[in-house]
């Protein structure tokens, strides 16, 4: 299709899709290597958000191990890792009370002292400034919508910046065909469940022999609270209520910066009950007295949601393909029990950069960067993920309470034995979509109405994400078969898209008689979390990139 369109082309040594921690770290490392070698390397970074950081959402407690390697003087350079962790709490919640389990024995790497609470979006903004100072060309508002291949079937670049297609698929007066960005190597760092990464994983069979990737949905709010509530450096995680023992997930709460409290809730997407709404579980969770007193008298100033890769070591796909590599969450390097991934994302970007730089210096291009895979397998990223590889499957098999205890024991043993586990390497088995149960087997959940002080509705929340999409463009949420939502998902599963979506994108509407259901997609509300692409039990929803610059605009998230 692309070859029939006339468009300008730009050539680079390396093109990176995504200005997240992985992509930006890769771009900086490439420029550092070139400077050390006394040579030049051209690098372009494409970002679908309106600016670097606009689409970045994370907890975030950041392990500085990767940034220490990449920019050792980051403190002097003003990196916004502003609040060191001073207190680390781990709590098991019941409906009425709490059990502090901070005392439970855990490997040292599970502790947060030495880490920093920060806005990952702001860290990425700062990394973007460092990259541009080194000569990296960053193009925000440029969504990479298509992969380009050479005659041998290798990736040769991407198309970005297509604008001016109306909702009927016709070209408008503002039509721009986009630019072909051609590269010796193309890095895909789109984040979780990226549309191009999904295509490349399928085309090149990168997940063959691997376990299915697993996911969670993370919902986050940023609050500004009174001085009396503020405990700078406090990190608090919870398990348990309001989720039942068979539904995985938990919460995070971090006090940092200008009286900020970052509070969030994660639900593992292998949950079975199709009536469950992660957003409403989050709102209910905040009403627990253990949590509520941190927020009372404060103001909610931002909201967002995104999927999280949770498959870990056994789900990481092959990292290279002809002409490029997967970096960061496009491959999935999140350490689930640590609730951290940005340090691993940065390191994999750096490892890919080192492999590509050496290849280009050796006169290579468009081939397979097997050296990157080897470097990953010998890195602290792989070692870290291997130590915790059974935590997620143990939770899935045995439930939260027993699974947590077995996971803690397993991590302790693997840490002591440098990787050996009595469980070996457990499998995940099903995809998250296939884990969804039938509506008839579960009772619908009645959620309390929001009080608009601590708990809120979806639409007022989406407003705080500053999400915007031009309505006169094709919906980027595409149904493979438009009949499935009403014909299959509604009778079998109660059409769970209207519940798992954290932004009110999907609705089932009825006529005045309560009959003739109709499936409606409000794509303008989409916060780009990708949950629908992952959890739809019929795998009928395909998330694609909207027009560049559209979507959320997260401040300090």
């Amino acid at each position: 299709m692309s070859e029939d369109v006339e468009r300008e082309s730009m050539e680079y040594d390396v093109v990176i899709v995504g200005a997240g921690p992985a992509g930006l770290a890769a771009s900086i490392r490439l420029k550092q290597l070139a400077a050390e070698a006394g040579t030049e390397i051209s690098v372009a970074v494409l970002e679908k958000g309106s600016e670097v950081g606009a689409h970045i959402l994370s907890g975030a407690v950041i392990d500085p191990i990767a940034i220490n390697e990449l920019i050792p003087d980051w403190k002097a350079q003003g990196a916004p890792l502003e609040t060191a962790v001073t207190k680390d709490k781990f709590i098991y919640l019941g409906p009425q009370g709490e059990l502090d389990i901070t005392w439970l024995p855990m490997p040292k790497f599970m502790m947060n002292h030495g880490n920093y609470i920060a806005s990952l979006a702001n860290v990425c903004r700062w990394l973007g400034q460092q990259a541009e100072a080194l000569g990296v060309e960053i193009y925000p508002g440029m969504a990479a919508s298509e992969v380009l291949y050479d005659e041998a079937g290798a990736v040769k670049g991407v198309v970005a910046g297509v604008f001016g297609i109306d909702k009927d698929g016709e070209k408008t007066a503002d039509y721009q065909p986009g630019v072909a960005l051609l590269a010796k190597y193309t890095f895909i760092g789109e984040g979780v469940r990226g549309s191009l990464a999904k295509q490349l994983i399928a085309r090149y069979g990168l997940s063959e022999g691997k376990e299915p990737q697993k996911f969670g949905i993370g919902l986050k709010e940023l609050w500004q609270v009174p001085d009396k509530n503020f405990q700078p450096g406090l990190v608090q995680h919870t398990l348990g209520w309001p989720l039942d023992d068979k539904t995985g997930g938990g919460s995070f709460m971090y006090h940092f910066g200008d009286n900020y409290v970052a509070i969030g809730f994660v639900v593992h997407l292998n949950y079975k009950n199709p009536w469950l709404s992660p957003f409403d579980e989050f709102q209910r969770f905040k009403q627990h007295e253990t949590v509520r007193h941190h927020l009372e008298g404060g103001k909610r100033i931002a909201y967002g949601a995104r999927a999280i890769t949770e498959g870990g070591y056994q789900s990481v796909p092959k990292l290279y393909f002809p002409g490029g590599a997967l970096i960061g969450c496009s491959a999935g390097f999140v350490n689930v029990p640590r609730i951290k991934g940005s340090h691993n994302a940065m390191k994999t970007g750096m490892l890919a950069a080192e492999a590509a730089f050496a290849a280009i210096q050796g006169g290579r291009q468009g081939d397979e960067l097997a050296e990157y895979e080897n470097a990953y397998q010998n890195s602290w990223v792989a070692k870290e993920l291997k130590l915790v590889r059974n935590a997620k499957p143990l939770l899935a098999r045995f439930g939260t309470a027993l699974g947590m205890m077995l996971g803690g024991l397993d991590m302790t043993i693997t840490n002591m034995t440098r990787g050996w586990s009595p469980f070996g390497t457990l499998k995940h088995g099903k995809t998250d979509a296939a884990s969804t149960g039938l509506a008839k087997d579960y009772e619908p959940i009645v959620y309390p109405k929001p009080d608009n002080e601590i708990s809120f509705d979806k639409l007022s929340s989406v407003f705080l994400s500053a999400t915007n999409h031009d309505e006169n463009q094709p919906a980027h949420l595409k149904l493979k078969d438009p009949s499935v939502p009403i014909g299959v998902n509604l009778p079998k599963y109660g059409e769970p898209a209207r519940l798992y979506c954290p932004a009110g994108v999907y609705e089932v509407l009825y006529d005045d008689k309560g009959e003739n259901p109709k499936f409606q997609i409000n794509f303008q509300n989409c916060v780009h979390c990708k949950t629908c692409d992952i959890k739809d039990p019929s795998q009928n929803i395909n998330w694609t990139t909207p027009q560049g610059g559209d979507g959320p605009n997260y401040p300090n998230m």
Side-chain angles (χ1 to χ4, degrees), residues 3 150 274 392:
E3 305 301 331
D150 66 16
K392 169 80 175 182

Side-chain angles (χ1 to χ4, degrees), residues 10-15 42-44 137 139 181-185:
M10 301 167 67
E11 296 189 12
Y12 293 89
D13 291 313
V14 179
V15 166
S42 57
V43 183
E137 296 178 28
Y139 298 102
L181 292 105
L182 308 178
K184 295 173 181 174
Y185 296 102

Side-chain angles (χ1 to χ4, degrees), residues 71 86 105 110 264 364 437 460 475 494 520:
I71 306 174
T86 58
M110 290 293 293
R364 293 165 50 192
S460 67
Q520 180 164 301

Side-chain angles (χ1 to χ4, degrees), residues 21 60 76 96 136 167 186 203 241 257 306-307 402 436 466 477 514-515:
Q96 302 298 328
V136 175
K167 60 186 178 183
T186 302
R203 181 184 178 104
W241 189 90
R306 67 168 300 151
L402 181 56
T436 311
L477 302 159
E515 300 173 348

Side-chain angles (χ1 to χ4, degrees), residues 508-523:
V508 176
L509 304 177
Y510 295 85
D511 63 20
D512 293 340
K513 297 180 180 179
E515 300 173 348
N516 299 313
K518 176 186 175 184
F519 191 62
Q520 180 164 301
I521 301 177
N522 307 307
F523 76 87

Side-chain angles (χ1 to χ4, degrees), residues 2 64 69 127 134 142 151 169 178 204 274 278 307 331 344 385 417 493 508:
S2 180
E69 292 184 14
L127 287 171
L134 293 172
M142 293 283 278
E151 294 176 357
Y204 295 113
N344 289 341
L385 293 182
T417 60
Y493 308 104
V508 176

